[in-house]
Coordinates of all heavy atoms in Angstrom, one line a residue:
M1 N -0.6 7.6 20.5 CA -0.4 6.1 20.8 C -0.3 5.4 19.5 O -1.3 5.3 18.7 CB -1.7 5.6 21.6 CG -1.7 4.1 21.8 SD -0.5 3.7 23.1 CE -0.9 1.9 23.3
P2 N 0.9 4.8 19.2 CA 1.1 4.1 17.9 C 0.2 2.9 17.8 O -0.1 2.3 18.9 CB 2.5 3.7 17.9 CG 3.0 3.8 19.3 CD 2.1 4.8 20.0
A3 N -0.2 2.5 16.6 CA -1.0 1.3 16.4 C -0.2 0.1 16.9 O 1.1 0.0 16.8 CB -1.3 1.1 15.0
A4 N -0.9 -1.0 17.4 CA -0.2 -2.2 17.9 C 0.3 -3.1 16.8 O -0.4 -3.2 15.8 CB -1.2 -2.9 18.8
P5 N 1.4 -3.7 17.0 CA 1.9 -4.7 16.0 C 0.9 -5.8 15.8 O 0.2 -6.1 16.8 CB 3.2 -5.2 16.6 CG 3.6 -4.2 17.6 CD 2.3 -3.6 18.1
L6 N 0.8 -6.4 14.7 CA 0.0 -7.6 14.4 C 0.8 -8.8 14.3 O 1.9 -8.8 13.8 CB -0.8 -7.3 13.1 CG -1.7 -6.1 13.1 CD1 -2.3 -5.9 11.7 CD2 -2.8 -6.2 14.1
S7 N 0.2 -9.9 14.6 CA 0.9 -11.2 14.4 C 0.9 -11.6 13.0 O 0.1 -11.1 12.2 CB 0.2 -12.3 15.2 OG -1.1 -12.6 14.5
Q8 N 1.9 -12.5 12.6 CA 2.0 -12.9 11.2 C 0.7 -13.5 10.7 O 0.2 -13.3 9.6 CB 3.1 -13.9 11.0 CG 3.2 -14.4 9.6 CD 4.6 -14.9 9.2 OE1 5.6 -14.6 9.9 NE2 4.7 -15.6 8.1
K9 N 0.0 -14.3 11.6 CA -1.3 -14.9 11.2 C -2.4 -13.8 11.0 O -3.1 -13.9 10.0 CB -1.8 -15.9 12.3 CG -3.1 -16.6 11.9 CD -3.6 -17.6 12.9 CE -4.9 -18.3 12.4 NZ -5.8 -17.4 11.6
E10 N -2.4 -12.8 11.8 CA -3.4 -11.8 11.7 C -3.1 -11.1 10.3 O -4.1 -10.8 9.6 CB -3.3 -10.8 12.8 CG -3.8 -11.2 14.1 CD -3.5 -10.3 15.3 OE1 -2.3 -9.7 15.3 OE2 -4.4 -10.0 16.1
I11 N -1.9 -10.8 10.0 CA -1.5 -10.1 8.8 C -1.9 -11.0 7.6 O -2.6 -10.5 6.6 CB 0.0 -9.8 8.7 CG1 0.4 -8.8 9.8 CG2 0.4 -9.2 7.4 CD1 1.9 -8.7 10.1
E12 N -1.5 -12.3 7.6 CA -1.8 -13.2 6.5 C -3.3 -13.3 6.3 O -3.8 -13.3 5.1 CB -1.2 -14.5 6.7 CG 0.3 -14.6 6.8 CD 1.0 -14.4 5.5 OE1 0.3 -14.2 4.4 OE2 2.3 -14.5 5.4
D13 N -4.1 -13.3 7.4 CA -5.5 -13.4 7.3 C -6.1 -12.2 6.6 O -6.9 -12.3 5.7 CB -6.2 -13.6 8.7 CG -6.0 -15.0 9.2 OD1 -5.5 -15.9 8.5 OD2 -6.2 -15.2 10.5
R14 N -5.6 -11.0 7.0 CA -6.1 -9.8 6.4 C -5.7 -9.6 5.0 O -6.5 -9.1 4.1 CB -5.7 -8.6 7.2 CG -6.2 -8.6 8.7 CD -7.6 -8.1 8.7 NE -7.8 -6.8 8.2 CZ -7.5 -5.7 8.9 NH1 -7.1 -5.8 10.1 NH2 -7.7 -4.5 8.4
L15 N -4.5 -10.1 4.6 CA -4.0 -10.0 3.2 C -4.9 -10.8 2.3 O -5.0 -10.5 1.1 CB -2.6 -10.5 3.1 CG -1.5 -9.5 3.8 CD1 -0.1 -10.2 3.7 CD2 -1.5 -8.2 3.1
G16 N -5.6 -11.8 2.8 CA -6.5 -12.6 2.0 C -7.6 -11.7 1.3 O -8.2 -12.0 0.3
D17 N -7.9 -10.6 2.0 CA -8.9 -9.7 1.4 C -8.3 -8.5 0.6 O -9.0 -7.6 0.2 CB -9.7 -9.1 2.6 CG -10.5 -10.1 3.3 OD1 -11.0 -11.1 2.7 OD2 -10.6 -10.0 4.6
L18 N -7.0 -8.6 0.4 CA -6.3 -7.5 -0.3 C -5.5 -8.0 -1.5 O -4.3 -8.3 -1.4 CB -5.3 -6.8 0.7 CG -6.0 -6.1 1.9 CD1 -4.9 -5.8 3.0 CD2 -6.8 -4.9 1.5
P19 N -6.2 -8.2 -2.6 CA -5.6 -8.8 -3.8 C -4.4 -8.1 -4.2 O -4.3 -6.9 -4.4 CB -6.7 -8.7 -4.9 CG -7.8 -7.8 -4.3 CD -7.6 -7.8 -2.8
G20 N -3.3 -8.9 -4.5 CA -2.0 -8.4 -5.0 C -1.1 -8.1 -3.9 O 0.1 -7.9 -4.1
W21 N -1.5 -8.0 -2.6 CA -0.7 -7.6 -1.5 C -0.1 -8.8 -0.8 O -0.7 -9.9 -0.8 CB -1.5 -6.8 -0.5 CG -1.7 -5.4 -1.0 CD1 -2.7 -5.0 -1.8 CD2 -1.0 -4.2 -0.6 NE1 -2.6 -3.6 -2.0 CE2 -1.6 -3.1 -1.3 CE3 0.1 -4.0 0.2 CZ2 -1.1 -1.8 -1.2 CZ3 0.6 -2.7 0.4 CH2 0.0 -1.6 -0.3
S22 N 1.1 -8.7 -0.4 CA 1.8 -9.8 0.3 C 2.7 -9.3 1.4 O 3.0 -8.1 1.5 CB 2.6 -10.6 -0.7 OG 3.6 -9.8 -1.3
L23 N 3.1 -10.2 2.3 CA 4.0 -9.9 3.4 C 5.4 -10.2 3.0 O 5.7 -11.4 2.6 CB 3.6 -10.7 4.7 CG 4.5 -10.5 5.9 CD1 4.4 -9.1 6.4 CD2 4.0 -11.5 7.0
E24 N 6.3 -9.2 3.0 CA 7.7 -9.4 2.6 C 8.5 -9.0 3.7 O 8.7 -7.8 3.9 CB 8.0 -8.6 1.3 CG 7.1 -8.9 0.1 CD 7.3 -10.3 -0.5 OE1 8.4 -10.9 -0.3 OE2 6.3 -10.8 -1.0
G25 N 9.0 -9.9 4.5 CA 9.8 -9.5 5.7 C 8.9 -8.8 6.7 O 7.9 -9.3 7.1
D26 N 9.3 -7.6 7.0 CA 8.6 -6.8 8.0 C 7.6 -5.7 7.4 O 7.3 -4.8 8.1 CB 9.6 -6.1 9.0 CG 10.5 -5.1 8.3 OD1 10.3 -5.0 7.0 OD2 11.3 -4.5 8.9
R27 N 7.3 -5.9 6.2 CA 6.4 -4.9 5.5 C 5.4 -5.6 4.6 O 5.7 -6.8 4.2 CB 7.2 -3.9 4.8 CG 8.2 -4.4 3.9 CD 9.2 -3.3 3.4 NE 9.6 -2.4 4.4 CZ 9.5 -1.1 4.2 NH1 9.0 -0.6 3.1 NH2 9.9 -0.2 5.2
I28 N 4.4 -4.9 4.2 CA 3.4 -5.5 3.2 C 3.7 -4.7 1.9 O 4.1 -3.5 2.0 CB 2.0 -5.4 3.6 CG1 1.5 -3.9 3.9 CG2 1.7 -6.3 4.8 CD1 0.0 -3.8 4.2
T29 N 3.5 -5.3 0.8 CA 3.9 -4.8 -0.5 C 3.0 -5.2 -1.6 O 2.3 -6.3 -1.5 CB 5.4 -5.1 -0.8 OG1 5.7 -4.4 -2.0 CG2 5.6 -6.6 -1.1
C30 N 2.9 -4.4 -2.6 CA 2.1 -4.7 -3.8 C 2.7 -4.0 -5.0 O 3.0 -2.8 -4.9 CB 0.6 -4.3 -3.6 SG -0.5 -4.7 -5.0
T31 N 2.7 -4.6 -6.2 CA 3.0 -3.9 -7.4 C 1.9 -4.0 -8.4 O 1.3 -5.0 -8.7 CB 4.3 -4.6 -8.1 OG1 5.4 -4.4 -7.2 CG2 4.6 -4.0 -9.4
Y32 N 1.4 -2.8 -8.8 CA 0.3 -2.6 -9.8 C 0.9 -2.4 -11.1 O 1.9 -1.6 -11.3 CB -0.6 -1.5 -9.4 CG -1.4 -1.8 -8.1 CD1 -1.0 -1.2 -6.9 CD2 -2.5 -2.6 -8.1 CE1 -1.7 -1.5 -5.7 CE2 -3.2 -2.8 -7.0 CZ -2.8 -2.3 -5.8 OH -3.5 -2.5 -4.7
R33 N 0.4 -3.1 -12.1 CA 0.9 -2.9 -13.5 C -0.2 -2.1 -14.3 O -1.4 -2.6 -14.2 CB 1.2 -4.2 -14.2 CG 1.8 -4.1 -15.6 CD 2.3 -5.4 -16.1 NE 3.4 -6.0 -15.2 CZ 4.6 -5.6 -15.2 NH1 5.0 -4.6 -16.0 NH2 5.5 -6.1 -14.3
L34 N 0.1 -1.0 -14.9 CA -0.9 -0.2 -15.6 C -0.7 -0.3 -17.1 O 0.3 -0.9 -17.6 CB -0.7 1.3 -15.2 CG -1.1 1.7 -13.7 CD1 -2.6 1.5 -13.5 CD2 -0.3 1.1 -12.6
R35 N -1.6 0.2 -17.9 CA -1.5 0.1 -19.3 C -0.5 1.1 -19.9 O 0.1 0.8 -20.9 CB -2.9 0.4 -20.0 CG -3.9 -0.8 -19.7 CD -5.2 -0.5 -20.5 NE -6.1 -1.7 -20.3 CZ -6.8 -1.9 -19.3 NH1 -6.8 -1.1 -18.2 NH2 -7.6 -3.0 -19.2
T36 N -0.3 2.2 -19.3 CA 0.6 3.2 -19.8 C 1.4 3.8 -18.7 O 1.0 3.7 -17.5 CB -0.2 4.3 -20.5 OG1 -0.9 5.1 -19.5 CG2 -1.1 3.8 -21.6
H37 N 2.5 4.5 -19.0 CA 3.3 5.2 -18.0 C 2.4 6.3 -17.4 O 2.4 6.5 -16.1 CB 4.5 5.9 -18.7 CG 5.4 6.6 -17.7 ND1 6.0 6.0 -16.7 CD2 5.7 8.0 -17.7 CE1 6.6 7.0 -16.0 NE2 6.5 8.1 -16.6
F38 N 1.6 7.0 -18.2 CA 0.8 8.1 -17.6 C -0.2 7.6 -16.6 O -0.4 8.2 -15.6 CB 0.2 8.9 -18.8 CG -0.3 10.3 -18.3 CD1 0.6 11.3 -18.1 CD2 -1.7 10.5 -18.1 CE1 0.2 12.5 -17.7 CE2 -2.1 11.8 -17.7 CZ -1.2 12.8 -17.5
A39 N -0.7 6.4 -16.9 CA -1.7 5.8 -16.0 C -1.0 5.5 -14.7 O -1.6 5.7 -13.6 CB -2.3 4.6 -16.6
A40 N 0.3 5.0 -14.7 CA 1.0 4.7 -13.5 C 1.3 6.0 -12.7 O 1.2 6.0 -11.5 CB 2.3 4.1 -13.9
V41 N 1.6 7.1 -13.4 CA 1.7 8.4 -12.7 C 0.4 8.8 -12.0 O 0.4 9.2 -10.9 CB 2.2 9.5 -13.7 CG1 2.2 10.8 -13.0 CG2 3.6 9.1 -14.3
G42 N -0.7 8.6 -12.7 CA -2.0 9.0 -12.2 C -2.3 8.2 -10.9 O -2.7 8.8 -9.9
L43 N -2.0 6.9 -10.9 CA -2.2 6.1 -9.7 C -1.3 6.5 -8.6 O -1.7 6.6 -7.4 CB -2.0 4.6 -10.0 CG -2.1 3.6 -8.8 CD1 -3.5 3.7 -8.2 CD2 -1.8 2.2 -9.2
T44 N 0.0 6.9 -8.9 CA 0.9 7.3 -7.9 C 0.4 8.6 -7.2 O 0.5 8.7 -6.0 CB 2.3 7.6 -8.6 OG1 2.8 6.4 -9.2 CG2 3.3 8.1 -7.6
V45 N -0.1 9.5 -8.0 CA -0.6 10.8 -7.4 C -1.8 10.5 -6.5 O -1.9 11.1 -5.4 CB -1.0 11.8 -8.5 CG1 -1.7 13.0 -8.0 CG2 0.3 12.2 -9.3
H46 N -2.7 9.6 -7.0 CA -3.9 9.3 -6.2 C -3.5 8.6 -4.9 O -4.0 9.0 -3.8 CB -4.8 8.4 -7.0 CG -6.2 8.3 -6.5 ND1 -7.2 7.8 -7.2 CD2 -6.8 8.7 -5.3 CE1 -8.4 7.8 -6.5 NE2 -8.1 8.4 -5.4
V47 N -2.5 7.7 -4.9 CA -2.0 7.1 -3.7 C -1.4 8.1 -2.8 O -1.7 8.1 -1.6 CB -1.0 5.9 -4.0 CG1 -0.3 5.4 -2.8 CG2 -1.8 4.8 -4.7
A48 N -0.7 9.0 -3.3 CA 0.0 10.0 -2.5 C -1.1 10.9 -1.8 O -0.9 11.3 -0.6 CB 0.9 10.9 -3.4
Q49 N -2.2 11.2 -2.5 CA -3.3 11.9 -1.9 C -3.9 11.2 -0.7 O -4.1 11.7 0.4 CB -4.3 12.2 -3.0 CG -5.5 13.0 -2.6 CD -6.5 13.1 -3.7 OE1 -6.7 12.1 -4.5 NE2 -7.1 14.3 -3.9
I50 N -4.1 9.9 -0.9 CA -4.7 9.0 0.2 C -3.7 9.0 1.3 O -4.1 9.1 2.5 CB -5.0 7.6 -0.3 CG1 -6.2 7.7 -1.3 CG2 -5.3 6.6 0.8 CD1 -6.4 6.4 -2.1
Q51 N -2.4 8.8 1.1 CA -1.4 8.7 2.1 C -1.3 10.0 2.9 O -1.2 9.9 4.2 CB 0.0 8.4 1.5 CG 0.0 7.0 0.9 CD 1.3 6.5 0.4 OE1 1.6 5.3 0.4 NE2 2.2 7.5 0.0
D52 N -1.5 11.1 2.3 CA -1.5 12.4 3.1 C -2.7 12.5 3.9 O -2.7 13.0 5.0 CB -1.3 13.6 2.1 CG 0.2 13.9 1.8 OD1 1.0 13.2 2.4 OD2 0.4 14.8 1.0
E53 N -3.9 12.0 3.3 CA -5.1 12.1 4.1 C -5.0 11.2 5.3 O -5.4 11.6 6.4 CB -6.3 11.5 3.2 CG -7.6 11.4 3.9 CD -8.5 10.4 3.2 OE1 -8.5 10.3 2.0 OE2 -9.3 9.7 4.0
L54 N -4.4 10.0 5.2 CA -4.3 9.1 6.3 C -3.1 9.4 7.2 O -2.9 8.8 8.3 CB -4.1 7.6 5.8 CG -5.3 7.1 5.0 CD1 -4.9 5.7 4.5 CD2 -6.6 7.0 5.8
N55 N -2.2 10.3 6.7 CA -0.9 10.5 7.4 C -0.2 9.2 7.6 O 0.3 8.9 8.7 CB -1.1 11.3 8.7 CG 0.2 11.7 9.2 OD1 1.1 12.1 8.5 ND2 0.4 11.8 10.6
H56 N -0.2 8.4 6.6 CA 0.5 7.1 6.6 C 1.1 6.9 5.2 O 0.4 6.9 4.2 CB -0.4 6.0 7.0 CG 0.3 4.8 7.5 ND1 0.9 4.8 8.8 CD2 0.5 3.6 7.0 CE1 1.5 3.6 8.9 NE2 1.3 2.9 7.9
H57 N 2.4 6.7 5.1 CA 3.1 6.8 3.8 C 3.9 5.5 3.5 O 4.7 5.1 4.4 CB 4.0 8.0 3.8 CG 3.3 9.3 4.1 ND1 3.0 9.7 5.4 CD2 2.7 10.2 3.3 CE1 2.3 10.8 5.4 NE2 2.1 11.1 4.1
S58 N 3.7 5.0 2.4 CA 4.5 3.8 1.9 C 5.8 4.3 1.2 O 5.9 5.5 0.9 CB 3.7 3.0 0.9 OG 3.5 3.8 -0.3
D59 N 6.7 3.4 1.0 CA 7.7 3.6 0.0 C 7.1 3.4 -1.3 O 6.6 2.3 -1.6 CB 8.9 2.7 0.2 CG 9.7 3.0 1.5 OD1 9.5 4.1 2.0 OD2 10.4 2.1 1.9
L60 N 6.9 4.4 -2.1 CA 6.1 4.4 -3.4 C 7.0 4.5 -4.6 O 7.7 5.6 -4.7 CB 5.1 5.6 -3.3 CG 4.0 5.8 -4.3 CD1 3.2 4.5 -4.4 CD2 3.1 6.9 -3.8
T61 N 7.1 3.5 -5.4 CA 8.1 3.5 -6.5 C 7.3 3.4 -7.8 O 6.5 2.5 -8.1 CB 9.0 2.2 -6.4 OG1 9.6 2.2 -5.1 CG2 10.0 2.2 -7.4
L62 N 7.7 4.4 -8.7 CA 7.1 4.5 -10.0 C 8.0 3.9 -11.0 O 9.2 4.3 -11.1 CB 6.8 6.0 -10.3 CG 6.3 6.3 -11.8 CD1 5.0 5.7 -12.0 CD2 6.3 7.8 -12.0
G63 N 7.5 2.9 -11.8 CA 8.4 2.4 -12.9 C 7.8 2.9 -14.2 O 6.9 3.8 -14.3
Y64 N 8.2 2.2 -15.3 CA 7.7 2.6 -16.6 C 6.1 2.6 -16.6 O 5.4 3.5 -16.9 CB 8.2 1.8 -17.8 CG 7.4 1.8 -19.0 CD1 7.2 3.0 -19.7 CD2 6.7 0.7 -19.5 CE1 6.4 3.1 -20.8 CE2 5.9 0.8 -20.6 CZ 5.8 2.0 -21.3 OH 5.0 2.0 -22.4
N65 N 5.6 1.4 -16.2 CA 4.1 1.2 -16.2 C 3.7 0.5 -14.9 O 2.7 -0.3 -14.9 CB 3.6 0.5 -17.4 CG 4.1 -0.9 -17.5 OD1 5.1 -1.3 -16.9 ND2 3.4 -1.7 -18.4
T66 N 4.5 0.6 -13.9 CA 4.2 -0.1 -12.6 C 4.3 1.0 -11.4 O 5.0 2.0 -11.5 CB 5.3 -1.2 -12.3 OG1 6.6 -0.6 -12.2 CG2 5.2 -2.3 -13.3
V67 N 3.5 0.6 -10.4 CA 3.6 1.4 -9.1 C 3.7 0.3 -8.0 O 2.9 -0.6 -7.9 CB 2.3 2.2 -8.9 CG1 2.3 2.9 -7.6 CG2 2.0 3.1 -10.1
T68 N 4.8 0.4 -7.3 CA 5.0 -0.5 -6.2 C 4.9 0.2 -4.9 O 5.5 1.3 -4.7 CB 6.4 -1.1 -6.3 OG1 6.5 -1.9 -7.5 CG2 6.7 -2.1 -5.1
L69 N 4.1 -0.3 -3.9 CA 4.0 0.2 -2.6 C 4.6 -0.8 -1.6 O 4.4 -2.0 -1.8 CB 2.5 0.4 -2.2 CG 1.7 1.5 -2.9 CD1 1.1 0.9 -4.2 CD2 0.6 2.0 -2.0
S70 N 5.3 -0.3 -0.7 CA 5.9 -1.2 0.3 C 5.8 -0.4 1.7 O 6.3 0.8 1.7 CB 7.4 -1.4 0.0 OG 8.0 -2.2 1.0
V71 N 5.2 -1.0 2.7 CA 4.9 -0.2 3.9 C 4.9 -1.0 5.2 O 4.5 -2.1 5.2 CB 3.5 0.5 3.7 CG1 2.4 -0.5 3.5 CG2 3.2 1.6 4.8
N72 N 5.3 -0.3 6.2 CA 5.1 -0.7 7.6 C 5.0 0.5 8.4 O 5.0 1.6 7.9 CB 6.1 -1.7 8.1 CG 7.5 -1.2 8.2 OD1 7.7 0.1 8.3 ND2 8.5 -2.0 8.2
T73 N 4.8 0.4 9.7 CA 4.5 1.5 10.6 C 5.8 1.9 11.3 O 6.2 1.2 12.2 CB 3.4 1.2 11.5 OG1 2.2 0.9 10.8 CG2 3.1 2.5 12.4
H74 N 6.4 3.1 11.0 CA 7.6 3.5 11.6 C 7.4 3.8 13.1 O 8.2 3.4 13.9 CB 8.1 4.9 10.9 CG 8.1 4.8 9.5 ND1 7.8 6.0 8.7 CD2 8.2 3.9 8.5 CE1 7.8 5.7 7.4 NE2 8.0 4.4 7.3
D75 N 6.3 4.4 13.4 CA 6.0 4.8 14.8 C 5.9 3.6 15.7 O 6.0 3.7 16.9 CB 4.7 5.6 14.9 CG 4.9 7.0 14.2 OD1 6.0 7.4 13.9 OD2 3.8 7.6 13.9
A76 N 5.7 2.4 15.1 CA 5.6 1.1 15.9 C 6.9 0.3 15.9 O 6.9 -0.8 16.2 CB 4.4 0.3 15.4
G77 N 7.9 1.0 15.3 CA 9.2 0.3 15.3 C 9.5 -0.5 14.0 O 10.3 -1.4 14.0
G78 N 8.7 -0.1 13.0 CA 9.0 -0.8 11.7 C 8.3 -2.1 11.6 O 9.0 -3.1 11.0
V79 N 7.1 -2.3 12.1 CA 6.4 -3.5 11.9 C 5.0 -3.2 11.3 O 4.6 -2.0 11.2 CB 6.2 -4.2 13.3 CG1 7.5 -4.6 13.9 CG2 5.4 -3.3 14.3
V80 N 4.3 -4.3 10.9 CA 3.0 -4.1 10.2 C 1.9 -3.9 11.3 O 1.8 -4.7 12.3 CB 2.7 -5.3 9.3 CG1 1.3 -5.2 8.7 CG2 3.7 -5.5 8.2
T81 N 1.1 -2.8 11.1 CA 0.0 -2.6 12.0 C -1.3 -2.4 11.2 O -1.3 -2.4 9.9 CB 0.3 -1.3 12.8 OG1 0.1 -0.1 11.9 CG2 1.6 -1.3 13.5
E82 N -2.3 -2.1 11.9 CA -3.6 -1.8 11.3 C -3.5 -0.6 10.3 O -4.2 -0.6 9.3 CB -4.7 -1.5 12.4 CG -6.1 -1.2 11.9 CD -6.7 -2.4 11.2 OE1 -6.4 -3.5 11.7 OE2 -7.4 -2.3 10.2
N83 N -2.7 0.3 10.6 CA -2.5 1.5 9.7 C -2.1 1.1 8.3 O -2.5 1.6 7.3 CB -1.5 2.5 10.3 CG -2.0 3.1 11.6 OD1 -3.2 3.1 11.9 ND2 -1.1 3.6 12.4
D84 N -1.2 0.1 8.2 CA -0.7 -0.4 7.0 C -1.8 -1.1 6.2 O -1.9 -0.9 5.0 CB 0.5 -1.3 7.2 CG 1.6 -0.6 8.0 OD1 2.1 0.4 7.6 OD2 1.9 -1.1 9.1
L85 N -2.5 -1.9 6.9 CA -3.6 -2.7 6.2 C -4.7 -1.8 5.8 O -5.3 -2.0 4.7 CB -4.1 -3.8 7.2 CG -3.1 -4.9 7.5 CD1 -3.5 -5.7 8.7 CD2 -2.9 -5.8 6.3
N86 N -4.9 -0.7 6.6 CA -6.0 0.3 6.2 C -5.5 1.0 4.9 O -6.4 1.2 4.0 CB -6.2 1.2 7.4 CG -7.2 2.3 7.1 OD1 -8.3 1.9 6.6 ND2 -6.9 3.5 7.3
L87 N -4.3 1.4 4.8 CA -3.8 2.0 3.6 C -3.9 1.1 2.4 O -4.4 1.5 1.4 CB -2.3 2.5 3.8 CG -1.6 3.0 2.5 CD1 -2.3 4.2 1.9 CD2 -0.1 3.3 2.8
A88 N -3.5 -0.2 2.6 CA -3.6 -1.1 1.5 C -5.1 -1.3 1.1 O -5.3 -1.3 -0.2 CB -3.1 -2.5 2.0
A89 N -6.0 -1.3 2.0 CA -7.4 -1.4 1.6 C -7.9 -0.2 0.8 O -8.7 -0.4 -0.1 CB -8.3 -1.6 2.9
R90 N -7.5 1.0 1.2 CA -7.8 2.2 0.5 C -7.3 2.1 -1.0 O -7.9 2.6 -1.9 CB -7.3 3.4 1.2 CG -8.0 3.7 2.5 CD -9.5 4.3 2.3 NE -9.4 5.5 1.5 CZ -9.3 6.7 1.9 NH1 -9.1 6.9 3.3 NH2 -9.3 7.8 1.1
V91 N -6.1 1.6 -1.1 CA -5.5 1.5 -2.4 C -6.2 0.5 -3.3 O -6.5 0.7 -4.5 CB -3.9 1.3 -2.4 CG1 -3.3 1.1 -3.7 CG2 -3.3 2.4 -1.6
V92 N -6.4 -0.7 -2.7 CA -7.2 -1.7 -3.4 C -8.5 -1.1 -3.9 O -8.9 -1.4 -5.1 CB -7.4 -2.9 -2.5 CG1 -8.5 -3.9 -3.1 CG2 -6.1 -3.7 -2.2
A93 N -9.1 -0.3 -3.1 CA -10.5 0.2 -3.5 C -10.4 1.2 -4.7 O -11.4 1.3 -5.5 CB -11.1 1.0 -2.3
I94 N -9.2 1.8 -5.0 CA -9.1 2.7 -6.1 C -8.4 2.1 -7.3 O -8.5 2.7 -8.4 CB -8.4 4.0 -5.7 CG1 -7.0 3.7 -5.4 CG2 -9.2 4.7 -4.6 CD1 -6.0 4.9 -5.5
A95 N -7.8 1.0 -7.1 CA -6.9 0.5 -8.2 C -7.6 0.1 -9.5 O -7.2 0.5 -10.6 CB -6.1 -0.8 -7.7
A96 N -8.7 -0.5 -9.4 CA -9.5 -0.9 -10.6 C -9.8 0.3 -11.4 O -9.8 0.3 -12.7 CB -10.7 -1.7 -10.2
G97 N -10.2 1.4 -10.7 CA -10.5 2.6 -11.5 C -9.4 3.2 -12.3 O -9.6 4.0 -13.2
H98 N -8.2 2.8 -12.0 CA -7.0 3.3 -12.7 C -6.6 2.3 -13.9 O -5.6 2.5 -14.5 CB -5.8 3.5 -11.8 CG -6.0 4.7 -11.0 ND1 -5.5 5.9 -11.3 CD2 -6.6 4.9 -9.8 CE1 -5.8 6.8 -10.4 NE2 -6.5 6.2 -9.5
G99 N -7.4 1.2 -14.0 CA -7.2 0.3 -15.1 C -6.0 -0.6 -14.9 O -5.3 -1.0 -15.8
V100 N -5.8 -1.0 -13.6 CA -4.7 -1.9 -13.4 C -4.9 -3.2 -14.1 O -6.0 -3.6 -14.3 CB -4.4 -2.2 -11.9 CG1 -4.1 -0.9 -11.1 CG2 -5.6 -2.9 -11.2
R101 N -3.8 -3.9 -14.6 CA -3.9 -5.1 -15.4 C -3.8 -6.3 -14.5 O -3.2 -6.3 -13.4 CB -2.8 -5.0 -16.4 CG -2.9 -3.8 -17.3 CD -1.7 -3.6 -18.2 NE -1.6 -4.7 -19.2 CZ -0.7 -4.6 -20.1 NH1 0.3 -3.7 -20.1 NH2 -0.6 -5.5 -21.1
Ligands
H2B1 C1 4.8 12.8 12.3 C2 4.0 12.0 11.3 O1 2.6 12.1 11.7 C3 4.4 10.6 11.4 O2 5.8 10.5 11.1 C4 3.6 9.6 10.4 C5 3.8 10.0 9.0 N1 3.7 8.8 8.1 C6 3.9 7.5 8.5 N2 4.0 6.5 7.7 C7 4.3 5.3 8.1 N3 4.5 4.3 7.2 N4 4.5 5.0 9.4 C8 4.4 6.0 10.3 O3 4.6 5.7 11.5 C9 4.1 7.3 9.9 N5 4.0 8.3 10.8

C-alpha cells in the first residue's frame, strides 16, 4: 500500500523541522555544501546506505563539494509522502556529522 500524498500545508509544516529542505514543485530537495570533494563523496555514500535501508531513493547529485537530494514517492504517482519526509529527517540527522557548512 503506497504512502498517502500530503497536502502542501502538511509538507510545509514538516519542512519547518528539516533545515535546508524545501518544496520545489512536486518534490522536496536540499543541497548540502561540504568542506571538500571527498567529504561530499562520503555523505553521498552514507545517504545511499540510508536509502537502501529505507528502500526509498532520491535523485542524488554529487558536485565538487555539494550533495543535492531531490525526492518524491514514485509509487504514489510522483508526489510527496511521509516516506520522503522520513528520508529527509534521516539525512538531516547525519548531515552535521559530515561537517556540512
Ligand atoms: C520496488 C521498490 O521497492 C520500489 O520501486 C521503491 C524503491 N525506491 C523508491 N524511491 C522513491 N523515491 N519512491 C518510490 O516509490 C520507491 N519505491
